[in-house]
């Protein structure tokens, strides 16, 4: 039987259960904090990072009451069914490399999901999709000092055993879960351990500046390039063709007049996904 289907582990999110059989060298091997309910694991991680928690500290919750997405949006985090985690990272690199962390984490999340037997895709910059529906998201936040990243919080949410009716009506038509896709419940613990095991070397590549390899892996899961996208920028909206990624992960979008725009932090919607029926 696939260890992903081992139901004896599925709901025991404790430090002991997470560390048992965890095959990483350092990620999740030091401090692990498990909460039954928390507002947001990213908020907890931020607090712990300011108290000098070491790199690799892992914060996991069974449920979040104020799970956060990007740009003030929320992340629905029903109890017991999803993975909601944050990792404290202290990469020794300049602030302009920070956006690459989201793409790096995307590769690890997609690779972990692929091992369950479904085919994940990545939507630039932070969405994990299955058959065009969102199964997970990444929220990377950082505190910078003048020249370096002081610390980064890598927040990851995955709908694992989530049923459609556990999600708010507003996201149901665009969302899915591993259980919905596979037709079977999965072990959250084993998925978490697999994710940490895959993330550790990808993060080390990020720290070593090996972004070309990371981007190549990202492109294997790419679901954005070649599509018409709607980009919500702080001051305007841009519709165009997602043409390419620059070596630093910046998205190039060509508008209908032929002008190419470099998108560093925008909000991309794939046009053909709007107005989907549940
Ligand atoms: C994200 O934001 O996708 C990042 C989500 C990160 C969540 C993790 S959970 C652990 C850690 N602690 C936190 O507080 N957050 C992180 P964004 O790209 O802004 O997408 C948010 C949008 O996704 C929402 O506006 C909804 O449309 C949709 N959404 C919300 N909850 C969802 C869910 N459970 N499944 C699928 N889509 C969802």
């Amino acid at each position: 039987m696939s260890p992903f289907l081992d139901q004896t582990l599925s709901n025991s999110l404790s430090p002991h259960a997470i560390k048992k059989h965890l095959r990483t060298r350092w990620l999740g091997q030091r401090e692990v904090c498990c909460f039954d309910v928390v507002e947001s694991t990213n908020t907890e991680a931020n607090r712990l990072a300011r108290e000098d928690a070491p790199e690799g500290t892992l914060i996991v919750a069974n449920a979040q009451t104020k799970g956060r997405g990007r740009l003030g949006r929320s992340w629905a985090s029903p109890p017991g069914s999803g993975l909601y985690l944050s990792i404290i990272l202290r990469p020794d690199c300049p602030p302009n490399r920070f956006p690459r962390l989201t793409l790096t984490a995307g590769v690890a999340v997609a690779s972990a999901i692929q091992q369950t037997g479904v085919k994940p895709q990545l939507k630039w910059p932070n969405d994990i999709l299955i058959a065009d529906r969102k199964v997970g998201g990444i929220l990377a936040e950082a505190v910078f000092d003048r020249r370096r990243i002081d610390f980064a919080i890598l927040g990851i949410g995955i709908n694992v055993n989530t049923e459609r009716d556990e999600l708010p009506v507003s996201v149901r038509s665009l969302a899915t879960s591993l259980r919905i896709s596979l037709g079977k419940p999965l072990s959250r613990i084993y998925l978490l351990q697999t994710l940490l095991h895959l993330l550790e070397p990808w993060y080390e590549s990020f720290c070593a500046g090996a972004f070309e390899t990371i981007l190549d892996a990202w492109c294997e899961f790419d679901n954005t390039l070649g599509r018409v996208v709607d980009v919500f920028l702080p001051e305007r909206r841009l519709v165009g063709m997602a043409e390419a990624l620059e070596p630093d992960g910046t998205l190039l979008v060509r508008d209908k007049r032929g002008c190419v725009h470099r998108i560093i932090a925008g909000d991309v919607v794939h046009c053909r996904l709007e107005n989907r029926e549940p």
Side-chain angles (χ1 to χ4, degrees):
M1 183 180 70
S2 158
F4 286 107
L5 301 177
D6 183 351
Q7 286 312 301
T8 59
L9 296 169
S10 66
N11 275 314
S12 51
L13 291 177
S14 67
H16 173 74
I18 292 168
K19 286 185 181 177
K20 198 176 166 192
H21 306 309
L22 180 62
R23 289 175 294 151
T24 57
R25 283 181 290 107
W26 56 270
L27 183 53
Q29 296 289 5
R30 297 166 190 161
E31 289 187 32
V32 175
C33 307
C34 294
F35 294 90
D36 188 28
V37 184
V38 77
E39 282 196 358
S40 155
T41 55
N42 265 38
T43 305
E44 283 303 319
N46 197 296
R47 188 179 58 73
L48 289 168
R50 287 171 198 277
E51 292 168 6
D52 289 332
E55 173 156 85
T57 297
L58 172 67
I59 295 94
V60 183
N62 202 42
Q64 296 183 119
T65 53
K66 289 188 184 158
R68 292 192 272 119
R70 297 179 310 139
L71 309 168
R73 290 185 295 240
S74 59
W75 183 257
S77 314
S81 53
L83 267 181
Y84 319 113
L85 64 122
S86 299
I87 298 164
I88 296 173
L89 297 170
R90 300 186 180 278
D92 180 19
C93 63
N96 65 356
R97 295 230 191 119
F98 171 64
R100 304 177 193 190
L101 185 58
T102 298
L103 302 182
T104 305
V107 171
V109 176
S111 304
I113 287 177
Q114 183 161 259
Q115 291 197 10
T116 70
V118 286
K119 192 176 178 301
Q121 295 166 312
L122 291 171
K123 190 189 110 185
W124 191 93
N126 73 315
D127 286 353
I128 299 96
L129 312 176
I130 295 173
D132 279 336
R133 291 178 188 249
K134 187 157 172 171
V135 69
I138 294 162
L139 175 66
E141 299 176 308
V143 170
F144 305 108
D145 60 27
R146 287 182 63 207
R147 290 166 181 224
R148 317 298 295 172
I149 297 173
D150 185 10
F151 64 83
I153 306 297
L154 185 58
I156 299 172
I158 305 174
N159 300 328
V160 183
N161 294 324
T162 320
E163 301 280 16
R164 211 177 290 287
D165 62 7
E166 290 181 90
L167 294 169
V169 174
S170 57
V171 305
R172 270 179 213 170
S173 64
L174 295 169
T176 190
S177 72
L178 294 176
R179 180 184 192 142
I180 293 168
S181 304
L182 283 160
K184 301 172 209 168
L186 297 184
S187 160
R188 288 187 299 170
I189 289 274
Y190 191 73
L191 181 64
L192 173 60
Q193 290 167 334
T194 304
L195 169 60
L196 297 175
H197 186 236
L198 291 164
L199 179 60
E200 188 177 76
W202 282 118
Y203 172 68
E204 287 169 354
S205 298
F206 164 86
C207 291
F211 193 60
E212 203 181 318
T213 321
I214 296 168
L215 209 53
D216 284 349
W218 196 95
C219 287
E220 295 286 313
F221 295 108
D222 164 56
N223 180 254
T224 296
L225 299 182
R227 300 184 79 142
V228 176
V229 293
D230 206 346
V231 186
F232 293 84
L233 298 167
E235 69 292 355
R236 70 200 162 90
R237 199 173 157 188
L238 165 73
V239 177
M241 175 66 74
E243 279 203 337
L245 292 178
E246 292 206 319
D248 66 355
T250 301
L251 180 67
L252 299 181
V253 176
R254 185 181 296 272
D255 68 22
K256 60 176 186 252
R257 289 178 307 150
C259 296
V260 175
H261 304 258
R262 299 179 75 247
I263 311 299
I264 298 167
D267 190 19
V268 176
V269 172
H270 290 171
C271 284
R272 266 162 270 133
L273 296 186
E274 287 175 301
N275 304 322
R276 183 200 284 261
E277 291 301 313

